[in-house]
Amino acid sequence: VGWPEFLPDGRHFLYMTGSESGERTLMVKALGAKEGKELLKTMSKVAYAPPGFLVYVREKTLVAHPFDAARQELSGEPIPIGDGLGVNLIGGAAFSLSTNGVLSYRAGEDLNRRLVWIDRSGKETPALDEAREYWDTWLSPDGTRLAYDIDEGTGKGDVWIRDFSRGVTTRFTFAPEAEYAPTWSPDGRRIVFSKERKNRAEGSDLFVKDAMGKGEPEQLTDTPGFKYATDWSANGDDLIFLHEGKDTDGDLWALPMKGADRKPVPLLQTKFTESGGSLSPDGRFLAYRSNESGRAEVYVQEFPVAHSKWQVSTEGGRDPFWRGDGREMYYRAADLSLMAVPVTTATTFEMGTPKALFKARFPTQLPARGLYRPTRDGQRFLVLSTAATIPPAIVVLNWPSALR
């Protein structure tokens, strides 16, 4: 459910729902009502505009559909009012409407993302040539392969593997349900990923599969709620994962990956949102993102049992990662800078002053686990990036008058 908007009477509101097939439906509902009424099927967000239109993107065309707000009914056919708009995976589209007849939209924008390498000086080179709806990425321990997932707007994503040395891409998952968020094992032999449950409203579970694609996936969890692996300890013992469910926006858990007892253990289970759990290479400290201060910041605490906590970021931060030798940490700052922090973990956790390495075109509205991945030596970063150039916005004054 998403994209809510009140109608002029202040009693009825529009909202989008999703189905198991990935299809989206625009609904209207009265406050206090048990059921809503279906208005139309669309993959785009929908906005109400006076004197009586629903505006949305239909096959890359921005349209205004006549709508009686008092009766909550559509009539006639959608009327084109703009061309060349895209829709991203969550329904977002580059248009905005005012209540006094001003329309603003951006045509020709490439909503696909690029995977690029950026070195510490900010120099950028392509990692993959093709722009796609990339989401989550994870580099193999030796850096020669990349696991990533793609969803082209159908809601049925899959995991793929790119062999950099051979220049070959192969599909890794094949189930009818969405599969995403891959994480390599520390020895490079297995990959954990999330797979949506048969009823996608119940969330997703974690599965593990041979990295060469042999055999069937092994299911690791079987409980409601969305789960995403965020790290796998260097010794292979523990899988860190994020759990989002009915009673939490985000908690961090550890799943034992060896031995007979595979019962998940909570690490951070609070009223705040925790995510991005990342273990230090020596396995003694856990970095993570929390909004306990009122905004996202990066923290570190001992693992597996926390006695102390350190705040690493100073003015907002998320997506923490460690360098392979454990002597440097990275995080994404609120101003889109990629930050580096010298750290030591020999006896206790100690850190230096965060330093900005470069700014990147991170797709900040993308709800991915991390928008970049450092190489083990920290000399390059694989970054999910938006297009280098953004077309100018088109503004139309009194646009409803042209439809009369």
Side-chain angles (χ1 to χ4, degrees):
V1 178
W3 301 109
E5 180 183 350
F6 272 108
L7 293 175
D9 64 5
R11 292 183 55 252
H12 293 84
F13 61 95
L14 305 171
Y15 63 100
M16 301 288 292
T17 63
S19 69
E20 293 183 41
S21 66
E23 188 177 55
R24 298 191 185 103
T25 304
L26 177 69
M27 307 288 291
V28 63
K29 187 177 181 180
L31 291 173
K34 292 184 178 180
E35 302 291 336
K37 181 173 78 171
E38 180 178 328
L39 291 176
L40 60 91
K41 305 286 188 185
T42 177
M43 297 302 289
S44 161
K45 73 173 186 178
V46 180
Y48 173 78
F53 296 98
L54 295 183
V55 179
Y56 56 97
V57 177
R58 179 182 181 183
E59 297 179 352
K60 296 189 177 181
T61 299
L62 187 64
V63 299
H65 203 148
F67 177 68
D68 187 329
R71 302 175 64 180
Q72 297 90 52
E73 292 181 355
L74 289 162
S75 62
E77 292 296 319
I79 305 166
I81 58 175
D83 293 314
L85 280 82
V87 177
N88 67 18
L89 189 59
I90 59 175
F95 72 88
S96 181
L97 300 150
S98 72
T99 57
N100 63 349
V102 179
L103 163 67
S104 175
Y105 67 94
R106 183 175 288 127
E109 182 173 13
D110 186 354
L111 295 178
N112 286 328
R113 292 175 285 278
R114 290 150 178 78
L115 280 168
V116 299
W117 289 110
I118 304 181
D119 67 17
R120 295 176 73 95
S121 69
K123 182 182 178 182
E124 180 179 311
T125 55
L128 298 181
D129 292 333
E130 189 177 8
R132 302 284 296 275
E133 281 278 6
Y134 301 111
W135 273 66
D136 282 297
T137 64
W138 201 280
L139 289 166
S140 63
D142 63 5
T144 63
R145 290 176 291 171
L146 170 69
Y148 62 92
D149 57 68
I150 295 178
D151 191 324
E152 304 289 9
T154 64
K156 300 294 182 183
D158 278 299
V159 176
W160 297 72
I161 296 178
R162 175 73 171 186
D163 187 322
F164 289 125
S165 60
R166 297 173 56 223
V168 175
T169 301
T170 56
R171 186 173 175 177
F172 184 70
T173 62
F174 299 87
E177 297 82 19
E179 295 168 304
Y180 47 88
T183 302
W184 290 88
S185 63
D187 61 7
R189 298 173 61 184
R190 293 182 291 168
I191 295 176
V192 163
F193 60 93
S194 299
K195 176 182 175 182
E196 285 190 344
R197 298 168 73 88
K198 296 293 184 182
N199 179 359
R200 69 186 309 177
E202 293 182 358
S204 59
D205 282 303
L206 297 171
F207 289 74
V208 64
K209 183 179 177 181
D210 182 271
M212 300 305 293
K214 297 181 295 184
E216 294 297 317
E218 174 192 352
Q219 187 166 352
L220 301 175
T221 63
D222 188 12
T223 56
F226 290 90
K227 305 167 198 72
Y228 317 88
T230 64
D231 202 5
W232 199 329
S233 63
N235 61 11
D237 289 352
D238 297 287
L239 184 77
I240 309 302
F241 69 93
L242 167 68
H243 175 257
E244 298 173 347
K246 182 176 65 175
D247 301 319
T248 176
D249 288 333
D251 292 326
L252 289 174
W253 292 66
L255 176 67
M257 296 298 288
K258 296 180 181 178
D261 186 6
R262 297 291 186 91
K263 184 179 180 180
V265 178
L267 299 175
L268 283 156
Q269 198 173 23
T270 73
K271 63 181 179 180
F272 305 108
T273 300
E274 291 90 20
S275 63
S278 179
L279 285 169
S280 59
D282 62 10
R284 299 178 56 231
F285 297 93
L286 176 73
Y288 63 96
R289 169 259 190 191
S290 173
N291 64 355
E292 65 179 66
S293 68
R295 67 179 178 186
E297 298 283 4
V298 172
Y299 299 87
V300 168
Q301 67 178 36
E302 292 101 342
F303 177 84
V305 179
H307 302 286
S308 305
K309 180 172 66 177
W310 299 264
Q311 182 174 330
V312 177
S313 58
T314 56
E315 297 184 12
R318 59 185 70 219
D319 301 344
F321 292 103
W322 303 77
R323 198 168 71 189
D325 61 4
R327 299 177 64 182
E328 194 171 52
M329 279 184 60
Y330 312 102
Y331 67 88
R332 181 166 59 86
D335 68 352
L336 304 186
S337 294
L338 198 288
M339 309 296 291
V341 188
V343 298
T344 59
T345 61
T347 53
T348 185
F349 178 77
E350 297 180 351
M351 59 184 167
T353 302
K355 173 187 176 182
L357 297 180
F358 55 81
K359 285 190 176 183
R361 301 183 304 277
F362 294 114
T364 54
Q365 294 183 342
L366 185 70
R369 296 172 304 168
L371 302 184
Y372 73 97
R373 301 285 167 188
T375 55
R376 289 182 61 84
D377 62 6
Q379 296 303 303
R380 293 198 303 169
F381 303 83
L382 184 72
V383 174
L384 270 173
S385 178
T386 58
T389 59
I390 299 176
I394 298 170
V395 178
V396 183
L397 304 178
N398 197 26
W399 65 269
S401 64
L403 308 184
R404 295 170 186 165

